CSV table of all heavy atoms in Angstrom, one decimal:
chain,number,residue,atom,x,y,z
A,1,ALA,N,109.0,89.0,79.1
A,1,ALA,CA,108.1,88.6,78.1
A,1,ALA,C,106.7,89.1,78.3
A,1,ALA,O,106.1,89.6,77.3
A,1,ALA,CB,108.1,87.1,78.0
A,2,LEU,N,106.3,89.1,79.5
A,2,LEU,CA,104.9,89.6,79.8
A,2,LEU,C,104.8,91.1,79.6
A,2,LEU,O,103.9,91.6,79.0
A,2,LEU,CB,104.6,89.3,81.3
A,2,LEU,CG,104.1,87.9,81.6
A,2,LEU,CD1,104.0,87.7,83.1
A,2,LEU,CD2,102.7,87.7,81.0
A,3,ALA,N,105.9,91.9,80.0
A,3,ALA,CA,105.9,93.3,79.9
A,3,ALA,C,105.8,93.7,78.4
A,3,ALA,O,105.1,94.6,78.1
A,3,ALA,CB,107.1,93.9,80.6
A,4,GLY,N,106.6,93.1,77.6
A,4,GLY,CA,106.7,93.5,76.2
A,4,GLY,C,105.5,92.9,75.4
A,4,GLY,O,105.4,93.2,74.2
A,5,GLY,N,104.8,92.0,76.0
A,5,GLY,CA,103.6,91.4,75.3
A,5,GLY,C,102.3,91.8,75.8
A,5,GLY,O,101.8,92.9,75.5
A,6,GLU,N,101.7,91.1,76.8
A,6,GLU,CA,100.4,91.4,77.3
A,6,GLU,C,100.3,92.8,77.9
A,6,GLU,O,99.3,93.6,77.7
A,6,GLU,CB,99.9,90.4,78.3
A,6,GLU,CG,98.5,90.5,78.7
A,6,GLU,CD,98.0,89.4,79.6
A,6,GLU,OE1,98.8,88.5,79.9
A,6,GLU,OE2,96.8,89.5,80.0
A,7,VAL,N,101.3,93.2,78.8
A,7,VAL,CA,101.2,94.4,79.5
A,7,VAL,C,101.2,95.6,78.5
A,7,VAL,O,100.4,96.6,78.6
A,7,VAL,CB,102.3,94.5,80.6
A,7,VAL,CG1,102.3,95.9,81.2
A,7,VAL,CG2,102.1,93.5,81.6
A,8,LEU,N,102.2,95.6,77.6
A,8,LEU,CA,102.3,96.6,76.6
A,8,LEU,C,101.0,96.8,75.8
A,8,LEU,O,100.5,97.9,75.5
A,8,LEU,CB,103.4,96.4,75.7
A,8,LEU,CG,103.7,97.5,74.6
A,8,LEU,CD1,104.0,98.9,75.3
A,8,LEU,CD2,104.9,97.1,73.8
A,9,ALA,N,100.4,95.6,75.4
A,9,ALA,CA,99.1,95.7,74.7
A,9,ALA,C,98.0,96.3,75.5
A,9,ALA,O,97.2,97.1,75.0
A,9,ALA,CB,98.8,94.3,74.2
A,10,LEU,N,97.9,95.9,76.7
A,10,LEU,CA,96.9,96.4,77.6
A,10,LEU,C,97.0,97.9,77.9
A,10,LEU,O,96.0,98.6,78.2
A,10,LEU,CB,96.9,95.6,79.0
A,10,LEU,CG,96.4,94.2,79.0
A,10,LEU,CD1,96.8,93.5,80.2
A,10,LEU,CD2,94.9,94.1,78.7
A,11,SER,N,98.3,98.4,77.9
A,11,SER,CA,98.5,99.8,78.3
A,11,SER,C,97.8,100.8,77.4
A,11,SER,O,97.5,101.9,77.9
A,11,SER,CB,100.0,100.0,78.3
A,11,SER,OG,100.5,100.1,77.0
A,12,HIS,N,97.5,100.4,76.2
A,12,HIS,CA,96.9,101.4,75.3
A,12,HIS,C,95.5,101.8,75.8
A,12,HIS,O,95.2,103.0,75.8
A,12,HIS,CB,96.9,100.9,73.9
A,12,HIS,CG,98.2,100.6,73.3
A,12,HIS,ND1,99.1,101.6,73.0
A,12,HIS,CD2,98.9,99.4,73.1
A,12,HIS,CE1,100.3,101.1,72.5
A,12,HIS,NE2,100.1,99.8,72.6
A,13,ASP,N,94.7,100.9,76.1
A,13,ASP,CA,93.4,101.2,76.6
A,13,ASP,C,93.5,101.8,78.0
A,13,ASP,O,92.7,102.7,78.4
A,13,ASP,CB,92.5,99.9,76.7
A,13,ASP,CG,92.0,99.5,75.4
A,13,ASP,OD1,91.9,100.4,74.5
A,13,ASP,OD2,91.7,98.3,75.2
A,14,ALA,N,94.4,101.4,78.9
A,14,ALA,CA,94.6,102.0,80.2
A,14,ALA,C,94.9,103.5,80.1
A,14,ALA,O,94.5,104.2,81.0
A,14,ALA,CB,95.6,101.2,81.0
A,15,HIS,N,95.6,103.9,79.1
A,15,HIS,CA,95.9,105.3,78.9
A,15,HIS,C,94.9,106.0,78.2
A,15,HIS,O,94.6,107.2,78.6
A,15,HIS,CB,97.3,105.4,78.2
A,15,HIS,CG,98.5,105.3,79.0
A,15,HIS,ND1,99.2,106.4,79.5
A,15,HIS,CD2,99.1,104.2,79.5
A,15,HIS,CE1,100.2,106.0,80.3
A,15,HIS,NE2,100.2,104.7,80.3
A,16,ARG,N,94.2,105.4,77.2
A,16,ARG,CA,93.2,106.2,76.4
A,16,ARG,C,92.0,106.5,77.3
A,16,ARG,O,91.4,107.5,77.2
A,16,ARG,CB,92.9,105.4,75.2
A,16,ARG,CG,91.9,106.1,74.3
A,16,ARG,CD,91.6,105.3,73.0
A,16,ARG,NE,91.0,104.0,73.3
A,16,ARG,CZ,91.5,102.9,73.0
A,16,ARG,NH1,92.6,102.8,72.3
A,16,ARG,NH2,90.8,101.7,73.3
A,17,ASP,N,91.6,105.4,78.1
A,17,ASP,CA,90.4,105.6,78.9
A,17,ASP,C,90.8,105.9,80.3
A,17,ASP,O,91.1,105.1,81.2
A,17,ASP,CB,89.6,104.3,78.9
A,17,ASP,CG,88.2,104.4,79.5
A,17,ASP,OD1,87.9,105.5,80.1
A,17,ASP,OD2,87.5,103.5,79.5
A,18,ARG,N,91.0,107.2,80.6
A,18,ARG,CA,91.6,107.7,81.8
A,18,ARG,C,90.7,107.4,83.0
A,18,ARG,O,89.4,107.3,82.9
A,18,ARG,CB,91.9,109.2,81.8
A,18,ARG,CG,92.8,109.6,80.6
A,18,ARG,CD,93.1,111.0,80.7
A,18,ARG,NE,93.4,111.6,79.5
A,18,ARG,CZ,93.8,112.9,79.3
A,18,ARG,NH1,93.9,113.7,80.4
A,18,ARG,NH2,94.0,113.4,78.1
A,19,PRO,N,91.2,107.3,84.2
A,19,PRO,CA,90.4,107.1,85.4
A,19,PRO,C,89.5,108.2,85.7
A,19,PRO,O,89.8,109.4,85.3
A,19,PRO,CB,91.5,107.0,86.6
A,19,PRO,CG,92.8,107.4,86.0
A,19,PRO,CD,92.7,107.3,84.5
A,20,ARG,N,88.3,107.9,86.2
A,20,ARG,CA,87.3,108.9,86.5
A,20,ARG,C,86.9,108.8,88.0
A,20,ARG,O,86.8,107.7,88.6
A,20,ARG,CB,86.1,108.6,85.7
A,20,ARG,CG,86.3,108.8,84.2
A,20,ARG,CD,85.0,108.6,83.4
A,20,ARG,NE,84.6,107.2,83.4
A,20,ARG,CZ,85.0,106.2,82.6
A,20,ARG,NH1,85.8,106.6,81.6
A,20,ARG,NH2,84.6,105.0,82.7
A,21,LEU,N,86.6,109.9,88.6
A,21,LEU,CA,86.2,110.0,90.0
A,21,LEU,C,84.7,110.0,90.1
A,21,LEU,O,84.0,110.8,89.5
A,21,LEU,CB,86.8,111.2,90.7
A,21,LEU,CG,86.3,111.5,92.1
A,21,LEU,CD1,86.7,110.4,93.0
A,21,LEU,CD2,86.8,112.9,92.6
A,22,ARG,N,84.1,109.1,90.8
A,22,ARG,CA,82.7,109.1,91.2
A,22,ARG,C,82.6,109.4,92.7
A,22,ARG,O,82.9,108.6,93.5
A,22,ARG,CB,82.0,107.7,90.9
A,22,ARG,CG,81.8,107.4,89.4
A,22,ARG,CD,81.0,106.2,89.3
A,22,ARG,NE,79.7,106.3,89.9
A,22,ARG,CZ,78.9,105.3,90.3
A,22,ARG,NH1,79.4,104.1,90.2
A,22,ARG,NH2,77.7,105.5,90.9
A,23,THR,N,82.1,110.6,92.9
A,23,THR,CA,82.0,111.0,94.3
A,23,THR,C,80.8,110.5,95.0
A,23,THR,O,80.8,110.2,96.2
A,23,THR,CB,82.0,112.6,94.4
A,23,THR,OG1,80.9,113.1,93.7
A,23,THR,CG2,83.3,113.2,93.9
A,24,HIS,N,79.7,110.2,94.3
A,24,HIS,CA,78.5,109.7,94.9
A,24,HIS,C,77.9,108.6,94.0
A,24,HIS,O,78.1,108.5,92.8
A,24,HIS,CB,77.4,110.9,95.0
A,24,HIS,CG,77.8,112.0,95.9
A,24,HIS,ND1,78.7,113.0,95.5
A,24,HIS,CD2,77.4,112.3,97.1
A,24,HIS,CE1,78.9,113.8,96.5
A,24,HIS,NE2,78.1,113.4,97.5
A,25,ASP,N,77.1,107.7,94.7
A,25,ASP,CA,76.4,106.7,93.9
A,25,ASP,C,75.0,107.3,93.4
A,25,ASP,O,74.7,108.5,93.7
A,25,ASP,CB,76.3,105.4,94.7
A,25,ASP,CG,75.4,105.6,95.9
A,25,ASP,OD1,74.6,106.6,96.1
A,25,ASP,OD2,75.4,104.7,96.8
A,26,ALA,N,74.2,106.4,92.8
A,26,ALA,CA,73.0,106.9,92.2
A,26,ALA,C,72.0,107.3,93.3
A,26,ALA,O,71.0,108.1,93.0
A,26,ALA,CB,72.4,105.7,91.4
A,27,THR,N,72.1,106.9,94.5
A,27,THR,CA,71.2,107.3,95.6
A,27,THR,C,71.7,108.5,96.4
A,27,THR,O,71.0,108.8,97.4
A,27,THR,CB,70.9,106.1,96.5
A,27,THR,OG1,72.1,105.6,97.1
A,27,THR,CG2,70.3,104.9,95.7
A,28,GLY,N,72.8,109.0,96.0
A,28,GLY,CA,73.3,110.2,96.7
A,28,GLY,C,74.3,109.9,97.8
A,28,GLY,O,74.7,110.8,98.6
A,29,HIS,N,74.7,108.6,98.0
A,29,HIS,CA,75.7,108.3,99.1
A,29,HIS,C,77.1,108.6,98.6
A,29,HIS,O,77.4,108.4,97.4
A,29,HIS,CB,75.6,106.8,99.4
A,29,HIS,CG,74.3,106.5,100.1
A,29,HIS,ND1,73.2,106.0,99.5
A,29,HIS,CD2,74.0,106.5,101.4
A,29,HIS,CE1,72.2,105.7,100.3
A,29,HIS,NE2,72.7,106.1,101.5
A,30,ARG,N,77.9,109.2,99.5
A,30,ARG,CA,79.2,109.5,99.1
A,30,ARG,C,80.0,108.2,99.0
A,30,ARG,O,80.0,107.4,99.9
A,30,ARG,CB,79.9,110.4,100.2
A,30,ARG,CG,81.2,110.9,99.9
A,30,ARG,CD,81.3,112.3,99.4
A,30,ARG,NE,82.5,112.7,98.8
A,30,ARG,CZ,82.8,113.9,98.4
A,30,ARG,NH1,82.0,114.9,98.6
A,30,ARG,NH2,83.9,114.1,97.7
A,31,ILE,N,80.8,108.0,97.9
A,31,ILE,CA,81.5,106.8,97.7
A,31,ILE,C,83.0,107.1,97.4
A,31,ILE,O,83.9,106.3,97.7
A,31,ILE,CB,80.9,105.9,96.6
A,31,ILE,CG1,80.8,106.6,95.3
A,31,ILE,CG2,79.6,105.3,97.0
A,31,ILE,CD1,80.4,105.7,94.1
A,32,ASP,N,83.3,108.3,96.8
A,32,ASP,CA,84.7,108.6,96.4
A,32,ASP,C,85.4,107.4,95.8
A,32,ASP,O,86.5,107.0,96.3
A,32,ASP,CB,85.4,109.1,97.7
A,32,ASP,CG,85.0,110.5,98.2
A,32,ASP,OD1,84.8,111.3,97.3
A,32,ASP,OD2,84.7,110.6,99.4
A,33,ARG,N,84.9,106.9,94.7
A,33,ARG,CA,85.5,105.8,94.0
A,33,ARG,C,86.2,106.2,92.7
A,33,ARG,O,85.6,107.0,92.0
A,33,ARG,CB,84.4,104.7,93.8
A,33,ARG,CG,84.9,103.5,93.1
A,33,ARG,CD,83.8,102.5,93.1
A,33,ARG,NE,83.3,102.2,94.4
A,33,ARG,CZ,82.0,101.8,94.7
A,33,ARG,NH1,81.2,101.6,93.7
A,33,ARG,NH2,81.7,101.5,95.9
């Protein structure tokens, strides 16, 4: 029930807004996040 309901609904944004790599923070420190 969860997979066909909440998870399926959430999946659209999870796919449309793809993960992004941030190698450094605003002060120049390496974060690899």
Side-chain angles (χ1 to χ4, degrees):
L2 280 170
E6 185 177 0
V7 175
L8 183 59
L10 290 166
S11 72
H12 298 290
D13 282 337
H15 275 262
R16 184 177 62 238
D17 190 354
R18 303 188 209 180
R20 294 181 294 271
L21 173 62
R22 286 188 61 204
T23 57
H24 295 78
D25 66 13
T27 60
H29 292 94
R30 185 104 199 185
I31 57 174
D32 287 317
R33 184 172 300 153

